[in-house]
Amino acid sequence: MFRHIGNTVVRHPVWTIVAWLIAAVAIVATAPSLPSNSDESSFLPKSYESIKAAELQQKAFPGAFTPSAIALYQRTDGGRMTAADQHDVARITAELGAKHIDQVQKTVPGPPSKDGRYALTLVQMDSKNAGQPKQADAAKALREEAKKLAEGTHLDVRLGGSAAQALDQQDSSKRGQALIGIGTVVIILLTLLIIFRAPILAFLPLILIGVVSAIANGLIAYATKLFDLQANSSISSILIVVLFGVGTDYFLFLMFRYRERLRAGDEPKQAMINAVDRVGEAIASAAGAVIIAFLALVLSTLGFLKQMGPALAIAVGVTLIAGLTLIPAVVSLIGPKVFWPSKSWQREPENARFAALGRAVRRRPALTAVASGLVLVALSAGVLGYKATFDLASGSMPKTKESMVVQDRMRAAYSAGAAAPTDVYLSSTGGRPLDRTAFDAYAKKLGAVDGVASARFTQMNKAGTTADFTVTLKDEASTDKAIDTVGRVRDAAHADAPDGAQAVVGGMSSIFKDIDAAVNHDYRTVFPVAAVLIMVILGLLLRSVVAPWYLIASVGLGFGATLGATVWIFQEGQGHSGLMFMLPVIMYLFVVAIGTDYNILMIARLREEAREGREPREAAGMALRYAGPTVAAAGFILAATFATMTLAGNALLTEMGFAVSFGIAVAAFVMAMFFTPSLTALIGHAAWWPGHGDRAKESTAGRDAGESPAGQDAEEPPAGQDAEEAPHERDAEEAPQKRDAEEAPQKRDAEEAPAGREV
């Protein structure tokens, strides 16, 4: 199949390129905009209590005042508010309401702070559009108008609240995306220039992946709208890294194979056909493992992760198709000039560095396995200190943003939980009016819960069947203490509800409590499913029952090491209260999927060396010698591109960028290079049970130079070579041996990464 694809795109490169351009223009021109939602409650299904409470509020108290934005006033000299200042606050509040800004339904004065230094304007917006871009636009207009109205007074006014946070998060995300995009391009450009010393080859993937990125974003927007998925602005930043990082890897796989075939004497167009034939199945299998891991997120209960899974899967799928069609078509038109002005593509330098590493693994596999394993175990110890934080707003933007300044000042000036109180809704089970005489006792029981500052009855619906009790917590809504407190409030609200009534608890702390439960559900569901699916892929590729178990276990250990290191750096080192709650799920899928990819490459090369008649230890050493450059190059580029996310300037992307890049580095430079080959060498032939994948096969003489041995690694000798044809001894120090055009080169450039992966 892949040879047919290669023939088609190389024989008709212009039509292939035109087809891609037409698809890009059509999709970009017609695709809807990718929606963004910062409303945490929209990430949860309706079965959770906080969502039931929100629906009950809409039904029982449709006109209830719930501020979406809060204007915080303070004197410019920092002193106490005067009567004139209070008059200015009342005037600004009234004039803001009179401007009839879109989405704004009502503006009312809020209570002054206890120290008399702050005053508030509470702004109610259309609850149906909570978290949507419309309200971010409304917050922008409110912020501008409030500052204009405060001119000529002694007041400094700042806008906070959920709508203002959505606006600041949107602006921060745009800045972060720009920094990530620039950083990614610079890293890829410099790395490719160092590897190939060819400017055309360095810029080409950036241009082609840019086209792929436009198509992928359009298809993601279509899928998001078609399946009514939730989106978050952080997805765009992740997509940039995935598209350019993974896309560059696939580009490298193809170009290294193309260069290999040119060195073997193939005519340029035939070299590209052979490259696609040999590397196509490898790229497809690598992409398949990543896509399956991403699609496992569909099982998540959180809307954000449900949308992220298909989005990333679409991005990798489009990149895969481009790697098999668009890139070969463009390169076949340019021909060997793509390597200009470098001449290194014509010869095959030695690779002494990885040969030395290979000898070390061959001589002391047990020591290598124990040493690398202890490093992973030591880093994994940090997992014991892991804590989650649920404040998406402060986690997705710097503390200097205006809405974050308002949030911090309100915490200090007002009760920590006053900005986002918890609501307990007591409803009649039989449709009869509730007994008001029980309300005082019920409120006292709620107020007596540990961690509650106050509780009081606030309102009842017209039918008298639903009552609202406002519970103010001692701690800010997104803190661990507040989430623990709301759990106790739920227990008390349910247990102490009067006869004939039932209670549901709503508010932001209740939402975070449910998000915590949903994430724990995802840990128990998504993790095992992704692991099982990846193990199935490993079993099919390697035709072994034993190898997939220790391969997935080693990747799992790498995940633990990555999470542990992230905990130590951000929680212990930088004093973060916790890591963003979705980080372990995202990290698990990236580290496990991509870490398994590198493991496949290394163990596939090890199997190839074993098929040439080598014993397990020697095969492990030779595998590291020849597949090591691939792992090093691919791991460096992908880790470096994910590291650019730390430039975004917010906790969420900084933590995510570090964790994923560190995890990929661990997968490439610890697991794939040392732990996996040394462990396979120790297990020996049993690693391939029940098959005999490491045993030499019968002669396959007569293979055409243009054919690719099934299952051959990108830079490996043909998988089916007879033991008599293969070199009986290939000492790590010997000079490069020149092979016939039908055989793969034995030597590697020190900077060269083999272009494909065995399937």
Side-chain angles (χ1 to χ4, degrees):
M1 180 181 76
F2 295 102
R3 186 169 187 80
H4 177 72
I5 293 173
N7 262 310
T8 302
V9 299
V10 171
R11 302 305 180 195
H12 307 285
V14 175
W15 287 111
T16 302
I17 296 169
V18 169
W20 270 92
L21 292 176
I22 291 174
V25 172
I27 291 173
V28 171
T30 60
S33 59
L34 185 64
S36 180
N37 197 338
S38 60
D39 181 16
E40 287 89 343
S41 65
S42 67
F43 298 159
L44 290 167
K46 295 182 179 180
S47 58
Y48 283 89
E49 182 168 347
S50 59
I51 306 305
K52 291 180 179 178
E55 292 177 343
L56 179 60
Q57 178 195 12
Q58 290 294 321
K59 182 178 179 181
F61 308 106
F65 189 91
T66 304
S68 298
I70 300 172
L72 179 68
Y73 302 90
Q74 181 185 20
R75 281 185 60 87
T76 53
D77 59 9
R80 293 174 61 88
M81 304 279 282
T82 65
D85 295 331
Q86 295 289 357
H87 176 76
D88 286 331
V89 169
R91 174 184 60 80
I92 294 172
T93 301
E95 291 187 18
L96 282 175
K99 289 186 178 295
H100 302 293
I101 298 171
D102 181 45
Q103 298 295 307
V104 175
Q105 296 177 330
K106 188 186 299 183
T107 59
V108 299
S113 63
K114 294 180 181 179
D115 60 8
R117 296 174 56 213
Y118 295 95
L120 302 174
T121 292
L122 306 179
V123 182
Q124 181 178 354
M125 296 186 185
D126 187 353
S127 60
K128 295 180 181 179
N129 295 318
Q132 299 297 330
K134 289 181 179 179
Q135 295 203 351
D137 295 339
K140 183 177 182 180
L142 278 169
R143 183 173 284 171
E144 293 173 352
E145 292 297 337
K147 293 184 185 300
K148 288 180 182 179
L149 292 172
E151 291 177 358
T153 70
H154 297 288
L155 296 176
D156 176 51
V157 57
R158 298 173 185 265
L159 193 73
S162 60
Q165 288 174 356
L167 172 64
D168 290 341
Q169 184 178 0
Q170 187 181 89
D171 293 341
S172 178
S173 177
K174 290 178 180 178
R175 174 181 174 275
Q177 286 178 35
L179 289 173
I180 290 170
I182 294 171
T184 299
V185 168
V186 170
I187 287 171
I188 292 175
L189 190 62
L190 291 178
T191 305
L192 292 178
L193 281 172
I194 292 172
I195 291 175
F196 292 105
R197 300 180 182 88
I200 297 176
L201 209 55
F203 282 98
L204 189 60
L206 299 176
I207 297 171
L208 298 181
I209 296 170
V211 175
V212 172
S213 176
I215 294 176
N217 275 287
L219 293 177
I220 291 167
Y222 272 122
T224 301
K225 183 177 182 180
L226 180 63
F227 297 104
D228 194 26
L229 300 171
Q230 300 295 338
N232 186 278
S233 55
S234 299
I235 289 178
S236 297
S237 301
I238 298 171
L239 280 175
I240 293 172
V241 177
V242 169
L243 284 165
F244 281 88
V246 176
T248 303
D249 266 3
Y250 295 166
F251 179 83
L252 283 174
F253 298 159
L254 185 68
M255 292 312 301
F256 281 132
R257 175 64 75 171
Y258 177 59
R259 183 171 67 178
E260 175 189 330
R261 296 315 307 162
L262 288 174
R263 285 172 175 172
D266 288 359
E267 181 270 330
K269 288 190 179 295
Q270 188 62 43
M272 180 55 70
I273 294 172
N274 290 339
V276 174
D277 179 33
R278 295 188 177 192
V279 82
E281 197 171 5
I283 293 177
S285 64
V290 178
I291 289 171
I292 286 177
F294 288 159
L295 287 178
L297 284 173
V298 173
L299 300 175
S300 171
T301 53
L302 293 173
F304 167 64
L305 294 178
K306 273 182 175 290
Q307 198 270 351
M308 178 180 287
L312 296 179
I314 290 171
V316 175
V318 175
T319 306
L320 166 63
I321 297 171
L324 298 177
T325 59
L326 180 61
I327 294 173
V330 173
V331 175
S332 67
L333 278 179
I334 301 174
K337 291 180 180 179
V338 74
F339 297 106
W340 179 87
S342 174
K343 302 292 185 181
S344 63
W345 65 273
Q346 298 174 349
R347 62 185 183 276
E348 204 130 15
E350 293 190 21
N351 186 9
R353 185 174 303 168
F354 285 95
L357 293 175
R359 289 195 302 273
V361 171
R362 180 181 62 188
R363 292 168 183 169
R364 298 180 180 85
L367 178 62
T368 304
V370 171
S372 55
L374 285 176
V375 170
L376 297 176
V377 171
L379 290 173
S380 298
V383 173
L384 300 175
Y386 168 74
K387 293 181 180 178
T389 182
F390 299 88
D391 189 358
L392 280 178
S394 61
S396 58
M397 70 185 95
K399 290 290 186 181
T400 54
K401 284 291 185 179
E402 185 170 327
S403 59
M404 292 294 97
V405 173
V406 171
Q407 178 174 286
D408 291 341
R409 290 184 180 178
M410 285 191 65
R411 287 175 183 173
Y414 295 83
S415 170
T422 295
D423 289 288
V424 177
Y425 298 102
L426 196 63
S427 298
S428 171
T429 56
R432 298 179 181 178
L434 294 170
D435 181 8
R436 287 176 174 265
T437 60
F439 287 1
D440 288 343
Y442 188 62
K444 287 181 180 179
K445 290 179 180 179
L446 294 176
V449 174
D450 183 29
V452 172
S454 64
R456 59 190 177 88
F457 164 70
T458 51
Q459 60 182 329
M460 179 176 281
N461 67 342
K462 293 181 180 179
T465 55
T466 301
D468 178 13
F469 294 81
T470 299
V471 179
T472 303
L473 308 183
K474 293 180 180 179
D475 302 290
E476 198 274 326
S478 65
T479 61
D480 290 338
K481 290 183 178 180
I483 294 170
D484 291 339
T485 299
V486 87
R488 294 190 290 270
V489 170
R490 283 183 176 181
D491 293 339
H494 297 157
D496 298 327
D499 293 338
Q502 62 182 7
V504 290
V505 181
M508 290 309 302
S509 294
S510 184
I511 290 172
F512 293 138
K513 179 72 174 177
D514 287 339
I515 289 178
D516 188 25
V519 170
N520 289 331
H521 166 272
D522 292 347
Y523 290 164
R524 297 189 299 269
T525 305
V526 177
F527 283 17
V529 169
V532 168
L533 291 175
I534 292 174
M535 283 185 66
V536 169
I537 291 176
L538 287 171
L540 293 174
L541 291 176
L542 303 175
R543 295 168 180 83
S544 168
V545 173
V546 177
W549 285 98
Y550 69 82
L551 287 176
I552 201 70
S554 69
V555 175
L557 192 58
F559 163 77
T562 302
L563 182 57
T566 308
V567 168
W568 274 334
I569 288 178
F570 291 97
Q571 287 185 203
E572 305 299 332
Q574 297 188 11
H576 290 194
S577 61
L579 303 179
M580 295 308 296
F581 67 90
M582 80 281 283
L583 182 63
V585 177
I586 297 170
M587 189 179 71
Y588 175 88
L589 292 173
F590 276 106
V591 173
V592 169
I594 297 173
T596 302
D597 205 23
Y598 295 147
N599 269 344
I600 290 173
L601 175 62
M602 185 60 70
I603 200 170
R605 181 62 198 232
L606 191 153
R607 179 177 64 176
E608 185 59 40
E609 295 297 335
R611 283 178 173 175
E612 291 189 357
R614 292 181 175 81
E615 289 303 310
R617 291 192 178 196
E618 184 185 4
M622 299 306 292
L624 180 56
R625 177 181 181 180
Y626 294 115
T630 304
V631 174
F636 173 78
I637 288 179
L638 203 57
T641 52
F642 271 104
T644 60
M645 295 175 70
T646 60
L647 301 174
N650 67 69
L652 173 60
L653 292 179
T654 298
E655 291 174 4
M656 191 182 300
F658 169 81
V660 177
S661 61
F662 184 85
I664 291 171
V666 167
F669 298 101
V670 180
M671 289 189 303
M673 282 198 185
F674 299 105
F675 191 68
T676 297
S678 59
L679 200 59
T680 306
L682 289 174
I683 296 173
H685 296 298
W688 308 100
W689 185 87
H692 302 286
D694 63 330
R695 303 306 173 99
K697 294 186 178 181
E698 296 300 323
S699 175
T700 55
R703 223 186 263 283
D704 187 277
E707 295 177 2
S708 170
Q712 184 177 331
D713 188 29
E715 302 248 334
E716 299 172 8
Q721 270 189 324
D722 191 344
E724 294 180 358
E725 293 181 293
H728 291 287
E729 294 292 337
R730 187 168 55 190
D731 188 77
E733 305 286 354
E734 73 181 12
Q737 301 297 316
K738 187 174 181 180
R739 291 191 173 187
D740 189 77
E742 64 186 23
E743 295 181 296
Q746 287 285 347
K747 285 292 183 180
R748 306 294 177 275
D749 186 340
E751 72 232 357
E752 173 182 348
R757 308 187 178 190
E758 172 150 351
V759 180

